[in-house]
Amino acid sequence: MSDADSSPARDLLDRAADRVLDLTVLERLAIAAASTVLALLIGLVVVAAAGYDPAQFLRFVFVGSFGDAGATARTLKFTTILTLTGVAVAIAFRAGVFNIGVQGQFVVGGFTTVVTILWLAPVFPTGTVGGVLLMVFGTLAAVVAAGAYGALPGILKAYADANEIITTIMLNFVAVGVVGYLVEGAFRGEGNRAPNTERLPEYVSLPRIVYDNPDFSILGFAVALLVVALVAVVMARTTVGYDMVTSGYQQAAATFSGVDAERTIVTTMTFSGMVAGVAGAVFAIMIQGYYSDPAGVGTYGFDAIAVSLLAANNPLGVVPASLLFGGLDSAASYISINSDVPVQLIDGIVGLVVLFVAAPELFRMAAKRTGLGGADR
């Protein structure tokens, strides 16, 4: 293609990038909400084209997500994990770093939690006090392990100029492979036919408050909200958070003002990994009660990317975004059991939502990184 032919296309891209980069947070949230509605409408058209009643499908979505106490608890269960993993992704994205490795950090955190609790249980008292102490130590161990695992691609990027997208994707496979090997072998529970660790002691669990659901506790959701508040404060009210956000918005200005770019990258990835570790700990304690082959664990770390993009990478916006995706996941579970709608069709509609939500934000992030729009922003 000649320069004369390519110039109009480049001008169009630059104008689009200019417009996207100048969007306010509210405008980005509005676009994300409109994209979600549009994706759902297209999804209903696909449902009708496939020969199913879209009105009935829509009713199933509502009933499956908030129709009764059980559906609401299921929605909040998914929301809890997506909120924590979504915030982990948002921390990195706001600092201009692509942490695609939240899934691996989530797996490392969950496995470390279970192993720590099983190791410490014999030396701690039983009962409520011992259960609380074990959960605290298990979560702290997850934060340390997942934070260290997140720091690794940060160090590689900061001091070896390694592309963090590639390294974090590779580390996801490493985490799943190594933890799967350990669960299959050395850490497999005695007598277990399935590749699972031993179960956590019965007194190591979150109490069933409000919802009588075996794999959801409102306290787990409260922990997620507490982490969101903590991250929001750190990002907005502390020097460390200011350095991270400034580096994300305007790296050149941040460096000129004395921000250590390499240290900020490592700090960001470590902080992101620590939050992913909390997600892994809550998942292991509240939902599983043991740890299984991570190849079969939900892809919360990957879904969190769409959650973060829908929230415009704002930690507070992650909560309603997670609620939307949690509701869709819950509805998908309900519809797959209670209707003849194929699960592939449900997954396709969820995929449409992810695609429509992610596209504008990914273009914005790519424009910022590549200099589209004619300015280094």
Side-chain angles (χ1 to χ4, degrees):
M1 185 180 289
S2 68
D3 290 345
D5 292 333
S6 62
S7 186
R10 178 57 192 252
D11 289 344
L12 183 63
L13 270 178
D14 281 338
R15 285 199 297 272
D18 265 335
R19 182 70 187 99
V20 169
L21 288 170
D22 287 338
L23 291 173
T24 65
V25 172
L26 286 178
E27 288 174 328
R28 290 163 62 194
L29 290 174
I31 290 174
S35 300
T36 303
V37 172
L38 180 60
L40 290 175
L41 289 175
I42 292 176
L44 292 179
V45 172
V46 173
V47 169
Y52 299 95
D53 183 354
Q56 179 80 343
F57 181 83
L58 205 56
R59 191 181 73 80
F60 279 146
V61 169
F62 176 76
V63 172
S65 52
F66 295 102
D68 55 27
T72 304
R74 189 171 57 239
T75 293
L76 291 177
K77 176 184 72 175
F78 291 126
T79 300
T80 298
I81 305 302
L82 288 172
T83 296
L84 289 167
T85 51
V87 169
V89 173
I91 290 169
F93 280 7
R94 287 207 75 179
V97 184
F98 289 81
N99 183 8
I100 314 298
V102 167
Q103 180 72 15
Q105 294 145 22
F106 167 77
V107 167
V108 169
F111 177 70
T112 304
T113 298
V114 171
V115 170
T116 301
I117 291 175
L118 291 176
W119 277 349
L120 293 179
V123 297
F124 274 68
T126 59
T128 303
V129 174
V132 171
L133 289 174
L134 286 171
M135 285 189 284
V136 169
F137 278 100
T139 303
L140 289 176
V143 168
V144 172
Y149 203 65
L152 184 58
I155 293 171
L156 291 173
K157 177 179 175 59
Y159 300 105
D161 200 25
N163 187 305
E164 79 275 21
I165 298 175
I166 295 174
T167 54
T168 51
I169 289 174
M170 291 175 64
L171 286 171
N172 283 333
F173 289 108
V174 172
V176 171
V178 171
V179 172
Y181 172 77
L182 294 174
V183 170
E184 180 76 35
F187 290 88
R188 189 169 188 155
E190 187 176 352
N192 283 350
R193 291 187 176 181
N196 301 329
T197 65
E198 290 184 17
R199 293 195 69 86
L200 300 178
E202 289 186 2
Y203 55 89
V204 182
S205 63
L206 297 174
R208 300 180 188 178
I209 303 174
V210 182
Y211 298 101
D212 186 19
N213 190 297
D215 55 6
F216 173 70
S217 170
I218 199 70
L219 288 184
F221 186 57
V223 168
L225 295 181
L226 184 64
V227 171
V228 168
L230 180 64
V231 170
V233 169
V234 169
M235 299 295 282
R237 302 289 182 184
T238 67
T239 304
V240 173
Y242 177 80
D243 289 348
M244 287 193 288
V245 174
T246 305
S247 298
Y249 278 111
Q250 183 51 274
Q251 187 172 3
T255 303
F256 183 75
S257 63
V259 174
D260 186 329
E262 287 81 11
R263 188 178 63 187
T264 301
I265 290 172
V266 177
T267 302
T268 299
M269 292 296 287
T270 304
F271 191 24
S272 177
M274 290 167 69
V275 175
V278 177
V282 172
F283 174 79
I285 294 171
M286 184 180 78
I287 296 179
Q288 281 204 316
Y290 56 91
Y291 214 78
S292 60
D293 185 350
V297 170
T299 56
Y300 297 104
F302 297 118
D303 298 341
I305 296 172
V307 169
S308 178
L309 293 174
L310 177 59
N313 301 324
N314 185 313
L316 297 179
V318 163
V319 178
S322 299
L323 192 61
L324 170 66
F325 279 89
L328 289 174
D329 285 345
S330 178
S333 299
Y334 176 84
I335 293 172
S336 63
I337 296 173
N338 296 283
S339 78
D340 59 348
V341 178
V343 67
Q344 292 85 354
L345 186 57
I346 304 166
D347 291 341
I349 293 173
V350 174
L352 273 178
V353 174
V354 172
L355 178 65
F356 276 54
V357 166
E361 281 296 319
L362 287 177
F363 177 69
R364 182 177 185 278
M365 295 169 76
K368 183 183 291 186
R369 175 165 282 209
T370 59
L372 273 176
D376 182 16
R377 306 189 189 217

